[in-house]
Amino acid sequence: SQQGEEDPQALSIQEGENATMNCSYKTSINNLQWYRQNSGRGLVHLILIRSNEREKHSGRLRVTLDTSKKSSSLLITASRAADTASYFCATDQGFDMRFGAGTRLTVKP
Amino acid sequence: GAVVSQHPSRVICKSGTSVKIECRSLDFQATTMFWYRQFPKKSLMLMATSNEGSKATYEQGVEKDKFLINHASLTLSTLTVTSAHPEDSSFYICSAPTGTSYEQYFGPGTRLTVT
């Protein structure tokens, strides 16, 4: 079963705009990870945020984690057409990982 | 919604033995499936892409003879860890795109412990 739930399921924006994707989960976690997947390809790890962290940056990516609300967000700033992909959050509960169904991001040039 | 199952969910085996992990798409056909492994507190690592009716595509650094992948049908891919060693202990997870959309569904994973 899918632990994380991404929101929205699909997002379409213009190049240069910011894209925000959200993820909610149900149980306690050790860390939360965000992955991207280009169509027909495997997952690529983007960023990991630990349960005791609230925000993390990596280039144009910004991830926040609110353990009280059991939610996380992924912000991609100044989006590019090459950012078009599916984005997944995954919760690490120590023994297993659980993935959401993903958000499909389309960035129009 | 689409579901992917894995079997077994947990397995303990002795060094030198082989272990087979199954990944099934339950209500859709998957010509492609992906196999990942995860070390404790680490991110997922893509191992290989399983293609129905043809050879799997392995990522750099993944031993083909060690991790045998067979995609025998449109709903089943198997990963066999041959001559397992303790360093093969890990969490293995498969995923499959539905093909009709950009959705990707993940199996619940298999925890392998090699003693």
Side-chain angles (χ1 to χ4, degrees):
Chain A
S1 62
Q2 306 279 6
Q3 154 88 319
E5 295 185 5
E6 285 90 347
D7 163 44
Q9 291 186 331
L11 179 63
S12 182
I13 59 175
Q14 292 294 134
E15 209 165 25
E17 295 180 340
N18 295 341
T20 299
M21 289 162 272
N22 301 301
C23 170
S24 62
Y25 56 93
K26 298 176 181 176
T27 62
S28 297
I29 60 172
N30 291 335
N31 62 63
L32 186 144
Q33 302 172 34
W34 283 91
Y35 292 81
R36 71 171 278 168
Q37 186 206 24
N38 291 328
S39 182
R41 304 296 297 276
L43 291 175
V44 173
H45 180 252
L46 293 177
I47 199 164
L48 181 153
I49 185 166
R50 302 195 185 283
S51 60
N52 61 353
E53 296 176 313
R54 292 297 167 259
E55 190 171 309
K56 206 160 183 180
H57 297 256
S58 176
R60 293 184 296 112
L61 305 181
R62 173 178 168 249
V63 168
T64 63
L65 178 64
D66 187 334
T67 53
S68 66
K69 295 181 180 178
K70 291 186 169 59
S71 67
S72 173
S73 68
L74 169 66
L75 168 67
I76 303 175
T77 60
S79 64
R80 305 167 183 168
D83 293 329
T84 294
S86 290
Y87 292 82
F88 297 85
C89 71
T91 53
D92 186 335
Q93 299 154 63
F95 294 101
D96 299 308
M97 289 186 73
R98 290 289 182 265
F99 284 82
T103 293
R104 177 64 188 173
L105 173 65
T106 302
V107 181
K108 300 175 184 176
Chain B
V3 177
V4 173
S5 70
Q6 274 184 247
H7 176 80
S9 58
R10 297 183 193 278
V11 58
I12 301 173
C13 70
K14 294 186 177 182
S15 289
T17 62
S18 295
V19 174
K20 180 184 286 187
I21 303 170
E22 294 184 347
C23 177
R24 292 182 185 272
S25 56
L26 297 184
D27 55 3
F28 66 100
Q29 294 181 333
T31 56
T32 300
M33 291 184 177
F34 300 100
W35 285 97
Y36 304 85
R37 69 180 295 184
Q38 186 214 13
F39 296 99
K41 300 183 180 180
K42 299 288 186 183
S43 63
L44 278 184
M45 180 189 79
L46 177 64
M47 298 174 66
T49 302
S50 174
N51 304 299
E52 190 270 335
S54 65
K55 292 182 179 180
T57 303
Y58 290 82
E59 295 298 303
Q60 190 173 7
V62 178
E63 298 176 61
K64 300 177 182 180
D65 296 331
K66 174 80 174 169
F67 299 99
L68 300 179
I69 291 174
N70 184 3
H71 198 141
S73 75
L74 289 171
T75 60
L76 174 64
S77 175
T78 60
L79 167 68
T80 301
V81 182
T82 62
S83 187
H85 290 281
E87 56 264 32
D88 298 326
S89 298
S90 192
F91 184 68
Y92 293 87
I93 191 167
C94 69
S95 71
T98 61
T100 59
S101 68
Y102 291 108
E103 290 178 311
Q104 178 89 200
Y105 290 92
F106 291 85
T110 297
R111 171 69 57 185
L112 170 63
T113 303
V114 184
T115 59

